[in-house]
């Protein structure tokens, strides 16, 4: 191992040095139940802690968020102690260390004055067995049936869950995959979650479905094909949006969609425009006029169906209503698939060259689609022992969070805390600084978590008041890594 740590130990290292065993040159890490015995110059099983000059040391630098990059210097510079910096710097839990199962206070309990109010932030890297990812994949392509198993490297790491508007959803990880199956399943589930949480790409395969490459902030790649567009809406919505633009250029428009296939002249929008019925009936189950469910099977073709030839979804053409020369547009909900037909004398649709006005209308659908992305939310429960690192009476912290008196952040990023019991939170991994997540071999994920609240409230809930350290002291002693607060993201406290 090559380590870059230099300089005198900070207080956290000094505290951790108490874990040194009598065995010469070996330190025992007590930051998680694995209790690694680490030889000089080596790191423990998770690479998060190492033996540096006989001291147990967190190997990654503490990360602080700053909204005023000029106010402080970081990463080993001597900080000049400028007190203005306190309100501009937020100490995150990234690199802070762990005290699981929290029989000791959190690694950092930081005091600062924000807008005239004394605040405290309790900072810790939580170890989460109860954690998972909710992955939103912007595509209409059929990735697999709901509840189908999702695999990474052959191991089941999650399942397909309820689809959302324009997106397929996966639920990955969770305690049952981490600890309830084989050891290999747990390891792969943990590694999959860690990679996705830190913004890396992962190949996933759905049983009976597609393979998909998922990466936070990037387009999904389905069976090797990068997804381009998120649909503008379902087939019915697409008709509602664009009906007036088709009027006068087409006699019928059928928008092929796995959810609702729309038929313009039957649809309320077509009637509103006084369009004549075209007599073209599509397959599937009619929901309401001009809106059809299940015109085909789900798949990777037109509009998330298995349709390759759009005419396959036409059940019949009414000889009494349709007419020779009738102009028919068939299009998908992203505009990626489109075809133009004109009925011949026998009322059979014949492919024809698409008029410019229709080509423009199809392009308009594509223009209105948002780029297809993958979004990864990390979800975990912090309502357990982690609270003991903050207070001797943990339920009071839970109540403070539930009442909005204590704010929860993850690496400084805003989180959503679920209503009800516990402290179950979700955070978009894209809003955290790089490499904010880690893991331990139990297996479990390590994620940063901070609780910020007024000092008076912290005292009232039995907080470890005697261990509150000024931001200035933390900066001076910990040689942190400074990360600029992303534009548009609110400062975590205040
Ligand atoms: S796995 Fe990591 S945190 Fe756990 S004891 Fe080993 S070095 Fe420490």
């Amino acid at each position: 191992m090559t380590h870059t740590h230099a300089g005198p130990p900070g207080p956290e290292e000094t505290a951790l040095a108490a874990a040194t065993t009598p065995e010469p040159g070996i330190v025992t890490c007590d930051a998680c139940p694995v209790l690694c015995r680490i030889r000089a110059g080596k790191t423990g099983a998770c690479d998060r802690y190492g033996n540096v000059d006989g001291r147990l040391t967190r190997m990654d630098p503490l990360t602080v968020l700053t909204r005023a990059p000029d106010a402080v210097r970081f990463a080993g510079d001597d900080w000049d102690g400028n007190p203005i910096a306190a309100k501009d710097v937020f100490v995150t839990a990234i690199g802070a260390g762990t005290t699981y199962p929290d029989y000791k206070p959190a690694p950092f309990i930081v005091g600062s004055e924000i807008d005239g109010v004394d605040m405290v932030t309790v900072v810790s890297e939580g170890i989460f067995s109860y954690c998972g990812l909710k992955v939103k994949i912007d595509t209409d392509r059929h990735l697999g049936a709901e509840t189908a198993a999702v695999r990474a490297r052959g191991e089941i790491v999650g399942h397909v869950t309820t689809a959302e508007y324009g997106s397929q959803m996966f639920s990955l990880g969770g305690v049952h995959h981490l600890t309830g199956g084989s050891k290999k399943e747990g390891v792969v589930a943990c590694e999959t979650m860690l990679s996705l949480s830190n913004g890396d790409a992962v190949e996933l395969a759905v049983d009976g479905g597609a393979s998909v490459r998922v990466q936070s902030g990037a387009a999904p790649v389905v069976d090797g094909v990068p997804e381009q567009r998120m649909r503008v809406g379902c087939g019915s919505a697409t008709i509602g949006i664009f009906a007036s633009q088709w009027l006068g250029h087409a006699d019928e428009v059928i928008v092929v969609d796995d959810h609702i296939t729309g038929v313009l002249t039957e649809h309320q929008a077509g009637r509103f425009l006084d369009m004549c019925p075209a007599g073209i009936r599509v397959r599937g189950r009619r929901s309401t006029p001009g809106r059809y469910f299940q015109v085909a099977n789900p798949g990777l073709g037109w509009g998330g169906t298995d349709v390759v030839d759009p005419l396959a979804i036409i059940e019949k053409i009414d000889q009494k209503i349709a007419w020779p020369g009738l102009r028919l547009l068939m299009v998908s909900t992203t505009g990626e698939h489109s075809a133009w037909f004109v009925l011949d004398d026998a009322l059979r649709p014949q492919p024809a060259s698409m008029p410019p006005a229709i080509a423009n209308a199809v392009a308009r659908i594509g223009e209105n689609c948002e780029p297809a992305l993958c979004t990864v939310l990390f979800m975990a429960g912090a309502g357990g022992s982690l609270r003991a690192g903050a207070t001797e009476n943990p339920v009071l912290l839970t109540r403070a969070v539930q009442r909005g008196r204590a704010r929860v952040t993850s690496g400084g990023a805003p989180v959503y805390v679920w209503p009800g019991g516990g402290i179950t939170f979700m955070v978009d991994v894209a809003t955290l600084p790089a490499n904010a997540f880690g893991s331990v071999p139990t297996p479990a994920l390590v994620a940063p978590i901070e609780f910020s609240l007024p000092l008076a409230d912290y005292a009232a809930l039995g907080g470890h008041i005697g261990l509150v350290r000024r931001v200035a002291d933390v900066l001076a002693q910990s040689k942190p890594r400074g990360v600029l607060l992303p534009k548009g993201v609110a400062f975590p406290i205040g």
Side-chain angles (χ1 to χ4, degrees):
M1 178 199 71
T2 306
H3 60 74
T4 55
H5 184 91
E12 70 281 10
E13 296 167 9
T14 307
L16 290 166
T20 305
T21 67
E23 218 171 326
I26 292 182
V27 296
T28 300
C29 177
D30 62 352
C32 94
V34 177
L35 296 175
C36 293
R37 296 173 71 255
I38 310 173
R39 296 190 179 282
K42 303 287 185 188
T43 54
C46 68
D47 283 339
R48 297 169 58 240
Y49 283 90
N51 178 343
V52 178
D53 301 331
R55 296 176 188 281
L56 182 63
T57 304
R58 182 73 177 87
M59 301 306 292
D60 304 298
L62 179 70
T63 295
V64 299
L65 281 178
T66 175
R67 56 182 167 187
D70 298 333
V72 288
R73 288 174 290 167
F74 297 107
D77 289 344
D78 290 332
W79 185 59
D80 60 9
N82 177 1
I84 297 170
K87 70 174 176 46
D88 294 323
V89 173
F90 179 79
V91 177
T92 78
I94 303 166
T98 310
T99 55
Y100 181 84
D102 305 283
Y103 48 86
K104 293 183 288 188
F108 292 96
I109 302 175
V110 184
S112 57
E113 187 189 308
I114 306 289
D115 300 332
V117 179
D118 285 327
M119 300 291 293
V120 169
T121 302
V122 182
V123 173
S124 184
E125 287 179 301
I127 297 183
F128 297 102
S129 297
Y130 281 85
C131 69
L133 304 180
K134 307 300 172 208
V135 183
K136 173 173 166 283
I137 302 167
D138 299 338
T139 181
D140 280 335
R141 290 181 221 288
H142 180 68
L143 303 183
E146 209 167 288
T147 75
V150 175
R151 294 176 188 266
R153 287 147 48 198
E155 296 294 323
I156 298 178
V157 296
H159 62 272
V160 178
T161 188
T162 318
E164 298 298 343
Y165 200 90
S167 309
Q168 310 297 316
M169 303 289 294
F170 289 172
S171 180
L172 303 181
V175 69
H176 293 300
H177 292 299
L178 282 173
T179 61
S182 68
K183 184 171 181 186
K184 190 175 175 206
E185 178 181 333
V187 168
V188 174
C190 188
E191 290 176 357
T192 300
M193 281 200 288
L194 180 62
S195 296
L196 288 171
S197 297
N198 279 336
D200 296 329
V202 169
E203 290 287 345
L204 299 170
V206 182
D207 281 5
S211 293
V212 56
R213 184 180 169 90
V214 173
Q215 183 175 22
S216 169
V221 181
V222 181
D223 281 350
V225 180
E227 187 61 280
Q228 304 285 337
R229 304 172 187 171
M230 183 178 182
R231 72 175 180 179
V232 71
C234 70
S236 172
T238 305
I239 283 188
I241 296 169
F242 297 107
S244 61
Q245 299 180 36
W246 296 324
L247 186 65
H249 302 293
D251 300 307
E252 185 62 284
V253 178
I254 297 173
V255 183
V256 183
D257 179 34
D258 179 48
H259 176 210
I260 302 174
T261 288
V263 181
L264 175 61
T265 61
E266 274 185 54
H267 191 278
Q268 204 177 343
R271 293 184 177 186
F272 176 75
L273 295 171
D274 288 331
M275 293 192 74
C276 298
I280 301 176
R281 166 83 195 222
V282 298
R283 298 186 192 283
R285 178 161 66 84
R286 194 168 98 142
S287 163
T288 56
R291 300 168 73 253
Y292 290 81
F293 298 149
Q294 301 157 15
V295 296
N297 293 317
L300 304 181
W302 283 54
T305 69
D306 62 352
V307 166
V308 177
D309 171 11
L311 296 178
I313 69 163
I314 292 179
E315 188 168 82
K316 70 169 187 178
I317 296 179
D318 193 322
Q319 304 287 316
K320 297 193 189 98
I321 302 176
W323 61 94
L326 186 151
R327 303 162 297 171
L328 168 65
L329 170 66
M330 300 194 77
V331 65
S332 70
T333 46
T334 57
E336 286 167 305
H337 293 100
S338 61
W340 180 249
F341 302 97
V342 177
L343 298 198
D344 63 16
D345 290 342
L347 301 184
R348 288 176 308 217
Q350 299 296 345
S353 142
M354 189 176 286
I358 290 296
N360 288 340
V362 170
R364 178 63 63 85
I365 295 175
E367 184 188 333
N368 276 270
C369 293
E370 292 172 82
L373 292 177
C374 299
T375 315
V376 178
L377 296 196
F378 174 80
M379 181 169 171
S385 72
L386 194 140
R387 298 170 301 167
T391 164
E392 60 190 23
N393 194 3
V395 72
L396 296 182
L397 179 64
T398 306
R399 289 181 192 150
V401 169
Q402 290 168 347
R403 291 172 185 159
R405 292 297 294 172
R407 183 163 190 224
V408 186
T409 51
S410 178
V415 309
Y416 173 75
V417 179
W418 279 70
I423 303 174
T424 303
F425 70 96
M426 288 198 302
V427 63
D428 177 357
V429 302
T431 59
L432 277 76
N435 293 318
F437 293 84
S439 69
V440 291
T442 53
L445 246 65
V446 178
I449 186 160
E450 306 94 22
F451 299 94
S452 298
L453 67 170
L455 178 66
D457 289 5
Y458 187 55
L461 60 77
H464 306 302
I465 286 291
L467 296 174
V468 175
R469 294 159 60 183
R470 294 190 315 131
V471 174
D473 294 338
V474 173
L475 292 177
Q477 293 166 3
S478 299
K479 307 184 185 311
R481 165 177 77 126
V483 173
L484 199 56
L485 188 71
K487 275 202 177 108
V489 174
F491 193 66
I493 41 176

